[in-house]
């Protein structure tokens, strides 16, 4: 390594440490403590997961020595565990992919300097070892080390440590490669949004996997299987029979497979397996490095085409009209609706509840008749607001510099709020209509009474949430996005408050529904009463919100235009 | 301003430089020759391909085809070697805003391989020259745009480059600082440093530059010593009286008559 490269590496290291230090020192005490507690908690969770994994390795280990089971069987089970850890490890930086100078070094700012891409990539990858999402896995690795050594003996300390170090490095390198790949994809707004939506849908689907397995697997029958050993027991389980060829393939074609091979080599005293596994892991490391350098080079010297793109929006948005509204209100409402539907947060807020309604039906929940139709519909309606709360408590954050226009144009405060409320009402109304159609199509045909109650409870919830939004959006005006872990998010107070208020309104509606059921009162009447009550409340609060807006407008301007 | 000998060695040479983005051609068959020590003005209207050209020449964007030689070396064949001899102030400054000015210069100096003592000495001089010495311990995030620009220029000079690329260096800089910058840049060219500058302020380009190139819709319209370009372009006016603004408007403003707003 020549003297210039050494100086460059030293400078980069210093830069990273300085940025991390600034990140820490510029936060207030409350933020630091919250973050510290959150990190400690995450580390504890990782430690518990690592201990659990170690325990699984530990407890399955003796079975591999049993000739009727054999090590390969155990390898396949371990592989299942490590594959999940491996995938989560590699993709977890996605949560932090939005650029944050203090936490992730933006290498695009370094390409103008005389530094080789190889050096830059190597160093950037090694810096990932300090990234928060990588550090979450260290307690897990330590717990695994302790668990395996406890069973197999401390004599394996060096070889097991070497293996775990390789395991960490392989994931750090692949994780960096994944981040760079995402950065390439995220250069295109459309790709970025589609990818984010796919990831969110995947997360939701994964969250429902246990429910799906429970729904599809007859555990009573599984419990009745009497088999002399694990191999035969699993052989009678259809899911396992389907998964086994895939797992055998993964054993030889994934880093997790190589790790399991090396691990079983250690615990079953087969040095050749350990060596083969380590060589394979090293191969994965080299592959990630070569691909990473090539990708980094193309990322900064060959950015994707952005100039040629001319079509900026769907013609659908351009054709929207809102007859019957005063011109200024109409223009503002249309502007709001266009912003919602063109932003990732808006699209997500709009489609999440309908998606959940479909998924719940696929899983089979709610269709058994255990829930009264009105309460099921009420639950879905609450979800319409629950999944789009961000929009209701952050009117001005997305406006950014555009907020100045409200101050310059001389539009009355009341009218601005009214326009924001109308836009949100239309947005939520359209979503509720979709949910109602899905409910009717996928669950059961509701009677008129239930539908009217549904509409009434929707209006009541909307008015309650808008009243809350008219106050919270003035008090906590700063921009909010999905990623609350970003350093510019000082706290989650408005979200917590909003959830509490929404829960209270939902509780009141639920209570009213329960009373109506008990008293055999018509549900539509209850819905209508609550809708009227909440609408009156909203109307009475409107002048107060307008005066609050007038009072806070300069503070809001400062908040929404603040640059971090 | 130094007059160049016609056979003076070239600092920048591009041969049939071409860059496409999908179906869009940003730069087409660009042949540029910039002699050593020249103060070279690179002009063009918005979207003409100036920034794309600078990015390609400074090794930040791969050309679709063509060759680029800086100080006699192909930047795409030996990027690290060439980048050590050039300084760049890009349009988007991309500074590390959570560093102080002094820390940033220290970092940049180290990236160019300078030792600690030299970095300290040069950064102190540069900060004093740019009138940033009193704010050197403040975060760049708290700087105004003009201050950031001056810091970026200081960073581009710390390693004593032989070739300096400046993309809109005077944008957002106050009049006093602009004068300091202009004097500094003129002094640099007298020391055989080549300066490649883009600016929308034609008056500055006319006063500072001795060579000029005009690009329009990705194609080179004119290039060469300033006066000969002006004379060639404004052939209808008496020799020596054509201004850069007239010449520029004549080339890129053709067909754009005076327009008026219907309600004013």
């Amino acid at each position: 390594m020549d003297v210039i490269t050494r100086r460059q590496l030293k400078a980069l290291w210093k830069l990273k440490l300085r940025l991390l230090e600034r990140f820490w020192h510029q936060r207030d005490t409350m933020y630091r403590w919250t973050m510290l507690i959150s990190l400690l908690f995450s580390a504890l969770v990782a430690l518990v997961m690592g201990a659990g994994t170690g325990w699984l390795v530990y407890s399955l280990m003796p079975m591999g020595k049993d000739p009727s089971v054999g090590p390969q069987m155990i390898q396949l089970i371990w592989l299942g565990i490590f594959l999940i850890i491996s995938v989560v490890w590699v993709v977890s930086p996605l949560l932090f992919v939005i650029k944050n100078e203090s936490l992730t070094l933006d290498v695009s700012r370094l390409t103008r300097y005389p530094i080789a891409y190889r050096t830059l990539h190597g160093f950037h990858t090694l810096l990932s070892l300090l990234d928060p999402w990588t550090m979450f896995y260290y307690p897990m690795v330590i717990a695994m080390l302790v668990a395996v050594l406890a069973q197999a003996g401390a004599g394996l300390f060096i070889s097991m440590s070497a293996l775990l170090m390789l395991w960490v490095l392989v994931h750090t390198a692949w994780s960096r490669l994944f981040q760079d790949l995402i950065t390439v994809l995220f250069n295109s707004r459309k790709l970025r949004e589609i990818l984010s939506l796919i990831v969110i849908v995947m997360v939701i689907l994964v969250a429902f996997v246990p429910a799906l397995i429970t729904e599809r697997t007859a555990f009573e029958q599984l419990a009745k299987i009497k088999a002399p050993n694990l191999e035969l027991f699993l052989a009678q389980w259809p899911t396992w029979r389907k998964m086994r060829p895939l797992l055998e393939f993964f054993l030889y074609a994934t880093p997790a497979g190589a790790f399991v091979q090396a691990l079983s080599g250690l615990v079953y005293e087969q040095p050749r397996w350990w060596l083969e596994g380590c060589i394979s892991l090293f191969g994965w490391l080299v592959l990630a490095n070569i691909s990473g350098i090539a990708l980094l080079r193309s990322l900064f010297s060959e950015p994707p085409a952005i100039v040629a793109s001319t079509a900026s929006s769907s013609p659908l948005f351009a054709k929207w009209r809102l007859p019957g509204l005063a011109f200024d209100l109409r223009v503002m409402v249309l502007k709001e609706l266009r912003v919602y539907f063109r932003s990732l947060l808006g699209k997500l807020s709009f489609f999440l509840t309908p998606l959940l309604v479909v998924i719940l039906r696929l899983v089979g929940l709610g269709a058994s008749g255990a829930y009264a139709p009105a309460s099921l519909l009420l639950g879905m309606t609450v979800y319409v607001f629950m999944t789009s709360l961000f929009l209701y408590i952050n009117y001005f954050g997305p406006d950014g510099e555009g907020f100045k226009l409200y101050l310059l144009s001389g539009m009355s405060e009341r009218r601005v709020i009214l326009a924001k409320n109308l836009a949100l009402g239309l947005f939520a109304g359209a979503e509720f209509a979709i949910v109602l159609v899905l409910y009717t199509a996928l669950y059961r045909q509701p009677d008129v009474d239930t539908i009217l109650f549904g509409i009434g409870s929707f209006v009541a919830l909307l008015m309650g949430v808008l009243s809350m939004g008219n106050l919270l959006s003035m008090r906590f005006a700063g921009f909010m996005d999905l990623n609350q872990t970003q350093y510019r998010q000082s706290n989650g107070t408005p979200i917590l408050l909003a959830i509490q208020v929404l829960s209270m309104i939902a509780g009141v509606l639920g209570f009213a529904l329960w009373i109506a059921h008990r008293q055999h009162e018509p549900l539509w009447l209850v819905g209508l009463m609550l809708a009227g009550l909440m609408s009156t409340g909203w109307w009475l609060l409107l002048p107060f919100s307008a005066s609050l807006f007038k009072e806070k407008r300069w503070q809001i301007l400062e908040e929404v235009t603040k640059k971090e | 301003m130094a007059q160049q000998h016609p056979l003076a060695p070239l600092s920048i040479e591009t041969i049939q430089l071409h860059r496409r983005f999908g179906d869009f051609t940003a730069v087409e068959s660009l042949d540029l020759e910039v002699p050593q020590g020249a103060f070279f003005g690179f002009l063009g209207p918005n979207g003409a391909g100036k920034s794309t050209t600078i990015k390609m020449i400074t090794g930040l964007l791969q050309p679709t085809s063509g060759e680029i030689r800086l100080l006699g070396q192909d930047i795409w064949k030996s990027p690290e070697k060439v980048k050590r001899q050039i300084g760049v102030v890009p349009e988007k400054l991309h500074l590390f805003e959570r560093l102080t000015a002094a820390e940033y210069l220290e970092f940049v100096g180290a990236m160019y391989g300078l030792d600690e003592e030299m970095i300290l000495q040069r950064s102190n001089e540069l900060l004093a020259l740019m009138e940033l010495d009193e704010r050197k311990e403040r975060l760049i995030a708290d700087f105004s745009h003009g201050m950031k620009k001056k810091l970026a220029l200081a960073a581009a000079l710390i390693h004593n480059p032989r070739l300096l690329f400046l993309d809109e260096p005077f944008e957002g800089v106050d009049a006093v600082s602009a004068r300091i910058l202009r004097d500094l840049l003129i002094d640099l060219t007298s020391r055989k440093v080549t300066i490649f500058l883009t600016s929308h302020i034609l008056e500055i380009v006319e006063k500072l530059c001795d060579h000029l190139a005009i690009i329009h819709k990705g194609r080179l319209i004119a290039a060469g010593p300033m006066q000969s370009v002006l004379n060639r372009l404004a052939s209808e006016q008496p020799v020596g009286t054509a201004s850069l603004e007239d010449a520029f408007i004549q080339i890129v403003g053709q067909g754009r008559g005076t327009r008026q707003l219907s309600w004013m």
Side-chain angles (χ1 to χ4, degrees):
Chain A
M1 193 191 292
D2 61 30
V3 67
I4 293 178
T5 312
R6 261 207 314 275
R7 282 177 185 159
Q8 287 174 334
L9 291 182
K10 197 177 155 195
L12 282 169
W13 173 247
K14 225 171 174 177
L15 172 71
K16 176 75 181 179
L17 290 184
R18 271 183 178 147
L19 293 178
L20 282 175
E21 189 197 337
R22 297 276 143 79
F23 166 74
W24 185 251
H25 285 292
Q26 285 180 350
R27 308 274 77 83
D28 58 34
T29 314
M30 173 67 98
Y31 184 91
R32 275 192 244 164
W33 274 106
T34 319
M35 192 181 171
L36 203 63
I37 290 167
S38 146
L39 278 172
L40 284 174
F41 181 74
S42 307
L44 192 68
V45 171
L47 193 69
V48 170
M49 281 173 71
T53 313
W55 178 80
L56 274 171
V57 172
Y58 171 95
S59 56
L60 288 169
M61 219 185 284
M63 286 192 204
K65 290 174 183 160
D66 182 346
S68 65
V69 179
Q72 205 206 355
M73 190 69 209
I74 303 304
Q75 279 182 338
L76 293 181
I77 297 171
W78 282 345
L79 179 64
I81 302 163
F82 287 109
L83 265 179
I84 294 169
I85 293 175
S86 191
V87 171
V88 174
W89 193 332
V90 170
V91 302
S92 55
L94 194 67
L95 293 169
F96 299 84
V97 89
I98 298 166
K99 287 273 181 289
N100 180 335
E101 186 188 301
S102 301
L103 287 178
T104 57
L105 189 62
D106 181 0
V107 283
S108 67
R109 295 174 193 207
L110 299 171
T111 49
R112 82 177 82 145
Y113 305 116
I115 183 164
Y117 280 109
R118 192 182 55 250
T119 315
L120 191 57
H121 177 263
F123 193 74
H124 197 214
T125 304
L126 284 177
L127 283 183
S128 303
L129 292 169
L130 288 178
D131 286 339
W133 49 90
T134 307
M135 288 197 276
F136 287 156
Y137 296 94
Y138 297 156
M140 188 182 282
V141 167
I142 292 167
M144 262 163 45
L145 177 71
V146 171
V148 171
L149 293 184
Q151 171 70 8
L156 296 179
F157 180 77
I158 293 172
S159 39
M160 186 64 193
S161 300
L163 175 62
L164 285 170
M165 203 173 287
L166 255 177
W167 172 245
V168 170
L169 283 174
V170 164
H171 283 84
T172 308
W174 279 92
S175 185
R176 169 62 63 209
L177 181 67
F178 178 74
Q179 283 175 73
D180 288 345
L181 194 67
I182 293 293
T183 311
V184 172
L185 294 173
F186 273 28
N187 261 337
S188 154
R189 182 185 61 82
K190 279 189 179 166
L191 262 176
R192 184 172 64 230
E193 291 186 353
I194 291 169
L195 193 75
S196 304
L197 286 174
I198 290 173
V199 168
I200 288 163
V201 170
M202 292 297 286
V203 169
I204 292 169
L205 286 175
V206 168
F208 279 101
V209 162
L212 278 168
I213 291 176
T214 316
E215 185 73 16
R216 304 277 173 258
T217 309
F219 282 102
E220 300 81 14
Q221 287 179 7
L222 203 61
K224 284 176 195 160
I225 297 173
K226 300 277 184 240
N229 62 43
L230 185 68
E231 172 88 59
L232 289 174
F233 171 77
L234 289 171
Q236 292 177 59
W237 189 25
T239 314
W240 174 259
R241 284 205 300 271
K242 280 180 202 160
M243 273 169 52
R244 182 163 182 157
L246 196 65
L247 283 174
E248 280 172 359
F249 171 72
F250 283 155
L251 195 57
Y252 298 100
T254 58
F259 177 74
V260 166
Q261 215 177 348
L263 178 70
S264 46
L266 273 184
V267 299
Y268 298 128
E269 293 160 13
Q270 299 283 342
R272 205 176 136 208
W273 292 0
W274 178 81
L275 191 64
E276 281 174 2
C278 285
I279 290 171
S280 176
L281 274 178
F282 189 72
W284 282 105
L285 186 62
V286 171
L287 184 65
N289 203 36
I290 292 170
S291 321
I293 294 168
L295 190 68
L296 196 68
R297 186 187 290 274
S298 74
L299 181 59
F300 297 117
S301 61
E302 190 67 43
I306 44 170
V307 185
S309 170
T310 48
S312 59
S313 66
S314 142
L316 176 74
F317 296 113
K319 285 178 187 165
W320 282 3
R321 298 282 179 271
L322 292 170
L325 273 183
F327 180 70
D328 59 341
L329 271 183
R330 194 192 324 157
V331 170
M332 248 195 93
V333 170
L334 280 173
K335 171 250 167 198
E336 292 294 318
L337 287 175
R338 284 173 181 142
V339 170
Y340 298 152
F341 283 102
R342 284 172 188 166
S343 73
L344 179 65
L345 193 61
K347 283 176 199 158
L348 183 67
S349 301
F350 191 80
F351 292 109
L352 200 52
T353 300
L355 185 76
L356 283 170
V357 169
V358 174
I359 290 173
L360 282 172
R361 180 64 189 86
L362 285 176
V363 176
L365 300 175
S368 58
Y371 299 96
S375 55
L376 199 59
L377 185 58
L378 176 63
M380 288 174 185
T381 313
V382 171
Y383 253 86
V384 166
F385 294 97
M386 187 67 90
T387 53
S388 51
L389 262 186
F390 271 98
L391 300 180
Y392 295 90
I393 54 172
N394 197 218
Y395 291 174
F396 305 113
D399 286 332
E401 294 284 339
F403 180 79
K404 289 175 183 165
L405 194 63
Y406 303 137
L407 306 181
L408 292 170
S409 65
M411 197 174 184
S412 80
E413 289 80 13
R414 187 189 164 93
R415 232 156 161 73
V416 173
I417 296 175
L418 207 57
K420 294 264 180 192
N421 283 191
L422 267 168
L424 282 167
L426 285 169
F427 181 83
E431 190 183 345
F432 175 69
I434 294 174
V435 169
L436 201 59
V437 169
L438 285 173
Y439 173 80
T440 312
L442 298 176
Y443 290 80
R444 65 190 77 168
Q445 291 282 334
D447 54 22
V448 179
D449 195 30
T450 306
I451 290 176
L452 287 176
F453 170 77
I455 293 169
S457 56
F458 165 76
V459 174
L461 277 161
L462 175 69
M463 290 303 162
V465 169
L466 286 178
S467 305
M468 169 192 75
N470 289 350
L471 301 178
L472 286 186
S473 292
M474 317 292 164
R475 295 267 175 210
F476 305 92
F479 179 73
M480 275 188 244
D481 60 24
L482 281 175
N483 190 356
Q484 288 297 298
T485 52
Q486 266 190 285
Y487 65 110
R488 69 162 168 245
Q489 310 293 350
S490 54
N491 57 57
T493 310
I495 299 163
L496 288 176
L497 273 173
I499 291 173
Q500 284 163 3
V501 172
L502 181 65
S503 309
M504 276 194 314
I505 303 169
V508 169
L509 285 166
F511 186 64
L513 181 65
W514 178 70
I515 290 179
H517 271 306
R518 275 183 69 92
Q519 302 294 325
H520 304 289
E521 294 292 340
L523 297 181
W524 67 267
L525 192 64
V526 177
L528 190 70
M529 273 172 58
L530 288 167
L533 203 68
M534 296 303 274
S535 300
T536 312
W538 170 81
W539 182 252
L540 292 174
L541 264 174
L542 199 57
F544 175 69
S545 309
S547 67
L548 189 66
F549 182 25
K550 194 169 186 175
E551 183 197 322
K552 296 257 173 202
R553 62 191 190 277
W554 301 113
Q555 202 179 322
I556 296 172
L557 175 68
E558 196 181 317
E559 286 281 316
V560 297
T561 53
K562 192 162 64 183
K563 284 186 177 68
E564 195 65 44
Chain B
M1 265 167 259
Q3 286 300 312
Q4 298 300 318
H5 188 274
L7 295 175
L10 295 173
S11 266
I12 306 170
E13 188 184 9
T14 69
I15 304 159
Q16 288 295 299
L17 197 60
H18 204 87
R19 176 68 218 199
R20 292 178 72 84
F21 293 103
D23 297 333
F24 177 75
T25 303
V27 174
E28 194 174 349
S29 309
L30 189 75
D31 290 319
L32 266 186
E33 288 187 350
V34 181
Q36 257 180 33
F39 204 133
F40 192 90
F42 192 51
L43 303 182
N46 294 334
K50 295 189 300 292
S51 293
T52 305
T53 306
I54 286 199
K55 277 185 189 165
M56 285 193 285
I57 294 177
T58 53
L60 298 175
L61 180 70
Q62 185 110 40
T64 310
S65 63
E67 225 177 288
I68 302 165
R69 296 189 161 276
L70 299 188
L71 305 164
Q73 291 169 319
D74 189 328
I75 189 166
W76 285 98
K77 282 189 182 143
S78 44
E80 292 97 57
K81 204 173 164 188
V82 178
K83 280 180 184 177
R84 270 177 214 152
Q85 301 180 69
I86 67 172
V88 186
V89 178
E91 194 181 6
K92 286 178 187 164
L93 298 174
H94 284 322
L95 307 172
F96 286 101
E97 305 220 334
R98 299 278 142 192
L99 293 185
T100 65
E103 286 168 354
Y104 182 65
L105 290 184
E106 182 198 339
F107 168 72
V108 175
M111 292 304 285
Y112 283 103
L114 305 183
D115 66 50
E116 220 168 324
E117 203 180 324
M118 194 183 281
I119 293 172
L120 189 67
Q121 183 212 329
R122 288 187 183 179
S123 64
N124 281 339
E125 277 185 49
L126 282 165
L127 289 168
L129 182 73
M130 302 290 175
E131 296 177 329
L132 293 171
D133 46 345
E134 284 176 17
R135 294 185 173 92
K136 67 179 185 181
E137 297 307 329
R138 284 178 64 177
L139 290 190
I140 300 171
D142 298 332
F143 280 16
S144 69
H145 183 67
M147 286 158 74
K148 285 179 188 171
K149 208 102 202 191
K150 288 199 281 184
L151 182 65
L153 183 63
L157 291 173
I158 198 165
H159 58 294
N160 193 17
R162 291 174 60 200
L163 181 51
L164 196 56
F165 291 90
L166 309 171
D167 201 351
E168 295 289 348
F170 297 100
E171 188 202 21
V173 179
D174 64 70
V176 178
S177 302
R179 171 59 68 87
I180 294 168
L181 289 187
R182 275 163 54 179
D183 293 346
L184 175 69
L185 296 176
I186 291 167
D187 185 45
L188 285 171
T189 51
S190 71
R191 293 165 200 239
K192 289 285 172 203
V193 174
T194 311
I195 299 178
F196 188 98
L197 170 140
T198 73
S199 177
H200 284 116
I201 311 169
L202 299 182
E203 198 190 339
I204 287 180
V205 175
E206 192 167 12
K207 274 187 186 165
L208 288 178
C209 299
D210 49 34
H211 283 70
L212 180 71
I214 299 177
I215 185 173
H216 186 39
K217 294 180 180 171
R219 288 173 173 235
L220 194 66
I221 302 294
M226 172 76 82
Q227 202 52 54
S228 78
V229 172
L230 292 183
N231 292 340
R232 208 164 57 232
L233 293 171
S235 52
E236 290 168 13
Q237 295 175 38
V239 173
T241 61
S243 75
L244 177 59
E245 190 178 342
D246 293 336
F248 187 75
I249 301 291
Q250 188 190 325
I251 297 167
V252 303
Q254 278 171 347
R256 295 189 208 169
T258 312
R259 292 173 194 181
Q260 288 182 331
L261 299 170
S262 63
W263 70 94
M264 291 184 98

